[in-house]
């Protein structure tokens, strides 16, 4: 079975008033048909840039410098306008963090869902709303977005995302703007619909607990690279990269009673070019001289892929 999505040595940079900033640093990642993948990392790690790049939705100041990104064998950045429209329409569905910004405030919900489904009739439109967990489809369809709660609006966005049966759903912090009481239910709706459609799902998130509960596989991003990727249970139970270890120590819910969270010291890197060394070294408690002299490359270790010179030491620490 060939990969649905494949990024190889992908470099994306932004032109800013202070010069070029590199957001993706020779990134490599594969997504298989039907799988659920969480991509985690701090703000500035490159998660959202990657998510937007899949649909070639990056802002005008972004530049793909090198590498490739293919979806069902199509090179995304080389697609002609008509091919790109078909790719977005037929293969992709997006669920963004703030549902109110994803919906048109001047248009009734039913019309928006119908348009997302290619101009379907009322019955099909309402059936999509019901599939997304909305029990009063007539009332919801007749409403404007501001008349819905945040959870209902996000379910509308999910209905629109799955309307054409996409091959890949990309959800960027899909529950972050919602009340804690409904996050799990909205995420379950998204996962159920993804499974019914046979689609792949990428969840971009800060929430390690959401990733562990929802996704089969986990990719950890730092400095525009995937630094660790494997089965979620494997990576989170015995992290092999110091950054993954640091994220777990800083995540609420992992601390013992009375224990303080342990934030990762320092800040993520601001890259102007390809990092010649390990970009995490200035913040890493394991760092050695070679970490600042030699760029680490991906290698297989203990049922995952990791980008770290010292992964064996980190695994030993994780076992203690």
């Amino acid at each position: 079975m060939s990969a649905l999505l494949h990024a190889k040595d992908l470099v994306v940079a932004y032109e800013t008033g202070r010069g070029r900033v590199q957001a993706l640093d020779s990134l490599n990642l594969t997504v298989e048909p039907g799988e659920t993948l969480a991509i985690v990392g701090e703000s500035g790690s490159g998660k959202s840039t990657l998510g937007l790049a899949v649909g070639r939705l990056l802002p005008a100041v972004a530049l793909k410098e090198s590498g490739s990104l293919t979806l069902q064998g199509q090179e995304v950045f080389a697609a002609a306008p008509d091919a790109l429209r078909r790719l977005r329409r037929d293969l992709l569905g997006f669920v963004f963090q703030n549902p109110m910004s994803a919906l048109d405030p001047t248009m009734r919900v039913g019309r928006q869902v119908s348009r997302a489904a290619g101009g379907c009739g009322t019955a099909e439109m309402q059936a999509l709303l019901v599939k997304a967990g909305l029990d009063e489809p007539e009332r919801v369809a007749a409403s404007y977005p501001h008349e819905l709660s945040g959870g209902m609006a996000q379910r509308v966005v999910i209905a629109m995302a799955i309307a054409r049966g996409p091959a890949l759903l990309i959800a960027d912090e899909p529950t972050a703007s919602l009340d804690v009481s409904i996050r799990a239910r909205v995420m379950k709706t998204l996962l159920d619909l993804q499974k019914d459609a046979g689609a792949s799902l990428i969840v971009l998130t800060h929430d390690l607990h959401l990733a562990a509960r929802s996704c089969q596989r986990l990719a950890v991003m730092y400095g525009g690279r995937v630094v660790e990727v494997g089965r979620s249970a494997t990576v989170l139970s015995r992290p092999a990269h110091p950054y993954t270890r640091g994220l777990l120590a800083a995540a609420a819910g992992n601390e013992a009673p009375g224990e303080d969270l342990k934030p990762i010291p320092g800040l993520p890197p601001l890259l102007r070019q390809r990092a010649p060394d390990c970009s995490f070294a200035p913040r890493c408690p394991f760092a050695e001289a070679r970490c600042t002299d030699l760029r680490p490359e991906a290698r297989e270790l203990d049922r995952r892929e990791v980008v770290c010179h010292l992964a064996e030491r980190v695994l030993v620490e994780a076992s203690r």
Side-chain angles (χ1 to χ4, degrees), residues 34-36 162 169 189-201 214 216:
E35 82 162 326
T36 54
I162 59 97
L169 285 164
T189 297
L190 178 59
L191 289 166
D192 288 346
L193 291 177
Q194 172 249 338
K195 185 176 179 180
D196 288 346
S200 298
L201 172 65
S214 306
Q216 303 158 331

Side-chain angles (χ1 to χ4, degrees), residues 55-56 74-88:
R56 216 166 94 191
Q74 300 180 61
E75 174 55 58
V76 174
F77 283 92
D82 286 348
L84 182 61
R85 281 192 289 272
R86 287 194 298 271
L87 181 149
R88 292 170 177 165

Side-chain angles (χ1 to χ4, degrees), residues 42-295:
E42 295 166 289
S43 297
S45 63
K47 305 187 306 295
S48 293
T49 294
L50 175 59
L52 292 172
V54 174
R56 216 166 94 191
L57 296 170
L58 292 165
V61 294
L63 173 67
K64 180 243 182 182
E65 294 187 339
S66 60
S68 65
L69 181 64
T70 58
L71 180 62
Q72 275 196 352
Q74 300 180 61
E75 174 55 58
V76 174
F77 283 92
D82 286 348
L84 182 61
R85 281 192 289 272
R86 287 194 298 271
L87 181 149
R88 292 170 177 165
R89 181 188 65 214
D90 299 333
L91 298 182
L92 293 174
F94 285 90
V95 180
F96 295 107
Q97 177 175 343
N98 185 350
M100 293 304 180
S101 66
L103 296 171
D104 186 336
T106 68
M107 188 184 300
R108 295 185 190 276
V109 164
R111 186 179 175 200
Q112 295 188 56
V113 175
S114 177
R115 290 180 64 176
C120 69
T122 300
E124 185 179 348
M125 175 270 293
Q126 291 184 0
L128 281 168
L129 292 174
V130 171
K131 284 181 68 175
L134 292 158
D135 297 329
E136 299 178 277
E138 298 91 346
R139 181 178 72 82
V140 173
S143 300
Y144 289 96
H146 72 270
E147 297 175 313
L148 305 178
S149 68
M152 293 174 72
Q154 191 65 301
R155 290 175 188 273
V156 170
V157 172
I158 292 171
M160 293 168 65
I162 59 97
R164 289 178 178 267
L168 176 62
L169 285 164
I170 299 175
D172 191 352
E173 300 284 5
T175 63
S177 65
L178 306 179
D179 291 342
V180 173
S181 60
I182 62 170
R183 288 179 184 177
R185 283 180 287 165
V186 171
M187 193 65 207
K188 183 179 185 303
T189 297
L190 178 59
L191 289 166
D192 288 346
L193 291 177
Q194 172 249 338
K195 185 176 179 180
D196 288 346
S200 298
L201 172 65
I202 297 176
V203 179
L204 311 173
T205 183
H206 292 83
D207 189 338
L208 290 174
H209 299 293
L210 174 71
R213 290 192 305 267
S214 306
C215 297
Q216 303 158 331
R217 204 157 61 100
L218 178 73
V220 181
M221 283 190 67
Y222 186 80
R225 303 181 75 186
V226 173
V227 296
E228 186 167 5
V229 60
R231 300 284 296 182
S232 297
T234 300
V235 172
L236 295 176
S237 62
R238 296 184 69 237
H241 196 283
Y243 181 60
T244 310
R245 180 181 170 90
L247 288 177
L248 284 166
N254 292 327
E255 72 278 14
E259 182 183 20
D260 292 333
L261 297 177
K262 300 173 183 176
I264 302 172
L267 297 171
L270 186 65
L271 300 176
R272 301 294 183 182
Q273 59 185 359
R274 185 177 190 266
D277 52 14
C278 175
S279 57
F280 187 61
R283 308 174 72 189
C284 180
F286 296 87
E288 297 179 351
R290 59 175 161 164
C291 302
T292 57
D293 295 335
L294 180 65
R295 179 183 172 95

